[in-house]
PDB file of all heavy atoms in Angstrom:
ATOM      1  N   ALA A 711     -32.564 -18.053  10.882  1.00 98.00           N
ATOM      2  CA  ALA A 711     -32.925 -17.755   9.500  1.00 98.00           C
ATOM      3  C   ALA A 711     -33.220 -16.272   9.329  1.00 98.00           C
ATOM      4  O   ALA A 711     -33.980 -15.684  10.109  1.00 98.00           O
ATOM      5  CB  ALA A 711     -34.149 -18.575   9.091  1.00 98.00           C
ATOM      6  N   PRO A 712     -32.632 -15.622   8.327  1.00 98.00           N
ATOM      7  CA  PRO A 712     -32.866 -14.196   8.097  1.00 98.00           C
ATOM      8  C   PRO A 712     -34.352 -13.885   7.983  1.00 98.00           C
ATOM      9  O   PRO A 712     -35.098 -14.599   7.305  1.00 98.00           O
ATOM     10  CB  PRO A 712     -32.126 -13.932   6.787  1.00 98.00           C
ATOM     11  CG  PRO A 712     -31.035 -14.953   6.760  1.00 98.00           C
ATOM     12  CD  PRO A 712     -31.639 -16.173   7.383  1.00 98.00           C
ATOM     13  N   ALA A 713     -34.768 -12.819   8.653  1.00 98.00           N
ATOM     14  CA  ALA A 713     -36.189 -12.514   8.784  1.00 98.00           C
ATOM     15  C   ALA A 713     -36.532 -11.190   8.115  1.00 98.00           C
ATOM     16  O   ALA A 713     -35.710 -10.285   8.019  1.00 98.00           O
ATOM     17  CB  ALA A 713     -36.576 -12.453  10.261  1.00 98.00           C
ATOM     18  N   VAL A 714     -37.777 -11.096   7.658  1.00 98.00           N
ATOM     19  CA  VAL A 714     -38.353  -9.850   7.156  1.00 98.00           C
ATOM     20  C   VAL A 714     -39.597  -9.575   7.983  1.00 98.00           C
ATOM     21  O   VAL A 714     -40.505 -10.411   8.052  1.00 98.00           O
ATOM     22  CB  VAL A 714     -38.705  -9.942   5.659  1.00 98.00           C
ATOM     23  CG1 VAL A 714     -39.364  -8.645   5.195  1.00 98.00           C
ATOM     24  CG2 VAL A 714     -37.461 -10.245   4.839  1.00 98.00           C
ATOM     25  N   LEU A 715     -39.636  -8.400   8.610  1.00 98.00           N
ATOM     26  CA  LEU A 715     -40.685  -8.080   9.572  1.00 98.00           C
ATOM     27  C   LEU A 715     -41.305  -6.739   9.203  1.00 98.00           C
ATOM     28  O   LEU A 715     -40.608  -5.756   8.951  1.00 98.00           O
ATOM     29  CB  LEU A 715     -40.062  -8.005  10.973  1.00 98.00           C
ATOM     30  CG  LEU A 715     -40.956  -8.065  12.201  1.00 98.00           C
ATOM     31  CD1 LEU A 715     -41.697  -9.395  12.282  1.00 98.00           C
ATOM     32  CD2 LEU A 715     -40.106  -7.866  13.455  1.00 98.00           C
ATOM     33  N   THR A 716     -42.632  -6.703   9.148  1.00 98.00           N
ATOM     34  CA  THR A 716     -43.349  -5.445   8.895  1.00 98.00           C
ATOM     35  C   THR A 716     -44.431  -5.271   9.955  1.00 98.00           C
ATOM     36  O   THR A 716     -44.699  -6.175  10.750  1.00 98.00           O
ATOM     37  CB  THR A 716     -43.997  -5.421   7.497  1.00 98.00           C
ATOM     38  OG1 THR A 716     -44.988  -6.467   7.419  1.00 98.00           O
ATOM     39  CG2 THR A 716     -42.968  -5.620   6.401  1.00 98.00           C
ATOM     40  N   GLY A 717     -45.057  -4.109   9.925  1.00 98.00           N
ATOM     41  CA  GLY A 717     -46.159  -3.861  10.855  1.00 98.00           C
ATOM     42  C   GLY A 717     -45.711  -3.613  12.278  1.00 98.00           C
ATOM     43  O   GLY A 717     -46.516  -3.732  13.219  1.00 98.00           O
ATOM     44  N   VAL A 718     -44.459  -3.239  12.489  1.00 98.00           N
ATOM     45  CA  VAL A 718     -43.986  -2.899  13.830  1.00 98.00           C
ATOM     46  C   VAL A 718     -44.492  -1.498  14.175  1.00 98.00           C
ATOM     47  O   VAL A 718     -44.310  -0.554  13.406  1.00 98.00           O
ATOM     48  CB  VAL A 718     -42.448  -2.954  13.896  1.00 98.00           C
ATOM     49  CG1 VAL A 718     -41.943  -2.447  15.247  1.00 98.00           C
ATOM     50  CG2 VAL A 718     -41.960  -4.379  13.656  1.00 98.00           C
ATOM     51  N   THR A 719     -45.124  -1.366  15.329  1.00 97.00           N
ATOM     52  CA  THR A 719     -45.727  -0.098  15.748  1.00 97.00           C
ATOM     53  C   THR A 719     -45.057   0.421  17.020  1.00 97.00           C
ATOM     54  O   THR A 719     -44.370  -0.333  17.728  1.00 97.00           O
ATOM     55  CB  THR A 719     -47.231  -0.283  16.017  1.00 97.00           C
ATOM     56  OG1 THR A 719     -47.391  -1.183  17.127  1.00 97.00           O
ATOM     57  CG2 THR A 719     -47.940  -0.847  14.792  1.00 97.00           C
ATOM     58  N   PRO A 720     -45.257   1.699  17.339  1.00 96.00           N
ATOM     59  CA  PRO A 720     -44.605   2.271  18.527  1.00 96.00           C
ATOM     60  C   PRO A 720     -44.966   1.576  19.827  1.00 96.00           C
ATOM     61  O   PRO A 720     -44.221   1.707  20.813  1.00 96.00           O
ATOM     62  CB  PRO A 720     -45.104   3.728  18.525  1.00 96.00           C
ATOM     63  CG  PRO A 720     -45.396   4.020  17.089  1.00 96.00           C
ATOM     64  CD  PRO A 720     -45.938   2.737  16.533  1.00 96.00           C
ATOM     65  N   GLU A 721     -46.071   0.850  19.844  1.00 96.00           N
ATOM     66  CA  GLU A 721     -46.465   0.153  21.070  1.00 96.00           C
ATOM     67  C   GLU A 721     -45.650  -1.103  21.314  1.00 96.00           C
ATOM     68  O   GLU A 721     -45.675  -1.659  22.413  1.00 96.00           O
ATOM     69  CB  GLU A 721     -47.948  -0.214  21.010  1.00 96.00           C
ATOM     70  CG  GLU A 721     -48.912   0.963  20.974  1.00 96.00           C
ATOM     71  CD  GLU A 721     -48.928   1.669  19.630  1.00 96.00           C
ATOM     72  OE1 GLU A 721     -48.709   0.981  18.588  1.00 96.00           O
ATOM     73  OE2 GLU A 721     -49.140   2.894  19.607  1.00 96.00           O
ATOM     74  N   MET A 722     -44.920  -1.566  20.312  1.00 96.00           N
ATOM     75  CA  MET A 722     -44.148  -2.814  20.417  1.00 96.00           C
ATOM     76  C   MET A 722     -42.733  -2.547  20.902  1.00 96.00           C
ATOM     77  O   MET A 722     -42.134  -1.518  20.590  1.00 96.00           O
ATOM     78  CB  MET A 722     -44.095  -3.516  19.057  1.00 96.00           C
ATOM     79  CG  MET A 722     -45.444  -3.859  18.475  1.00 96.00           C
ATOM     80  SD  MET A 722     -45.279  -4.609  16.830  1.00 96.00           S
ATOM     81  CE  MET A 722     -46.994  -4.671  16.305  1.00 96.00           C
ATOM     82  N   ALA A 723     -42.189  -3.489  21.654  1.00 95.00           N
ATOM     83  CA  ALA A 723     -40.810  -3.354  22.140  1.00 95.00           C
ATOM     84  C   ALA A 723     -39.824  -3.248  20.983  1.00 95.00           C
ATOM     85  O   ALA A 723     -38.832  -2.522  21.062  1.00 95.00           O
ATOM     86  CB  ALA A 723     -40.454  -4.542  23.032  1.00 95.00           C
ATOM     87  N   ALA A 724     -40.103  -3.967  19.891  1.00 96.00           N
ATOM     88  CA  ALA A 724     -39.189  -3.973  18.745  1.00 96.00           C
ATOM     89  C   ALA A 724     -39.049  -2.608  18.094  1.00 96.00           C
ATOM     90  O   ALA A 724     -38.091  -2.358  17.362  1.00 96.00           O
ATOM     91  CB  ALA A 724     -39.659  -4.992  17.709  1.00 96.00           C
ATOM     92  N   TYR A 725     -39.997  -1.718  18.344  1.00 97.00           N
ATOM     93  CA  TYR A 725     -39.931  -0.375  17.765  1.00 97.00           C
ATOM     94  C   TYR A 725     -38.776   0.420  18.378  1.00 97.00           C
ATOM     95  O   TYR A 725     -38.161   1.244  17.701  1.00 97.00           O
ATOM     96  CB  TYR A 725     -41.253   0.343  18.010  1.00 97.00           C
ATOM     97  CG  TYR A 725     -41.393   1.683  17.317  1.00 97.00           C
ATOM     98  CD1 TYR A 725     -41.863   1.765  16.016  1.00 97.00           C
ATOM     99  CD2 TYR A 725     -41.069   2.873  17.982  1.00 97.00           C
ATOM    100  CE1 TYR A 725     -42.000   2.997  15.378  1.00 97.00           C
ATOM    101  CE2 TYR A 725     -41.208   4.108  17.362  1.00 97.00           C
ATOM    102  CZ  TYR A 725     -41.673   4.153  16.055  1.00 97.00           C
ATOM    103  OH  TYR A 725     -41.814   5.381  15.427  1.00 97.00           O
ATOM    104  N   ARG A 726     -38.489   0.161  19.656  1.00 94.00           N
ATOM    105  CA  ARG A 726     -37.449   0.912  20.367  1.00 94.00           C
ATOM    106  C   ARG A 726     -36.153   0.132  20.508  1.00 94.00           C
ATOM    107  O   ARG A 726     -35.088   0.725  20.663  1.00 94.00           O
ATOM    108  CB  ARG A 726     -37.940   1.298  21.766  1.00 94.00           C
ATOM    109  CG  ARG A 726     -39.195   2.143  21.766  1.00 94.00           C
ATOM    110  CD  ARG A 726     -38.943   3.541  21.250  1.00 94.00           C
ATOM    111  NE  ARG A 726     -40.171   4.340  21.173  1.00 94.00           N
ATOM    112  CZ  ARG A 726     -40.243   5.515  20.573  1.00 94.00           C
ATOM    113  NH1 ARG A 726     -39.176   6.039  19.997  1.00 94.00           N
ATOM    114  NH2 ARG A 726     -41.384   6.176  20.536  1.00 94.00           N
ATOM    115  N   GLU A 727     -36.232  -1.168  20.488  1.00 93.00           N
ATOM    116  CA  GLU A 727     -35.056  -1.990  20.733  1.00 93.00           C
ATOM    117  C   GLU A 727     -34.164  -2.092  19.495  1.00 93.00           C
ATOM    118  O   GLU A 727     -34.635  -1.957  18.357  1.00 93.00           O
ATOM    119  CB  GLU A 727     -35.481  -3.406  21.150  1.00 93.00           C
ATOM    120  CG  GLU A 727     -36.194  -3.469  22.483  1.00 93.00           C
ATOM    121  CD  GLU A 727     -36.709  -4.866  22.782  1.00 93.00           C
ATOM    122  OE1 GLU A 727     -36.774  -5.701  21.852  1.00 93.00           O
ATOM    123  OE2 GLU A 727     -37.056  -5.116  23.944  1.00 93.00           O
TER     124      GLU A 727
END
Side-chain angles (χ1 to χ4, degrees):
V714 177
L715 197 63
T716 63
V718 174
T719 64
E721 295 74 31
M722 302 177 188
Y725 187 87
R726 301 290 177 190
E727 294 174 345

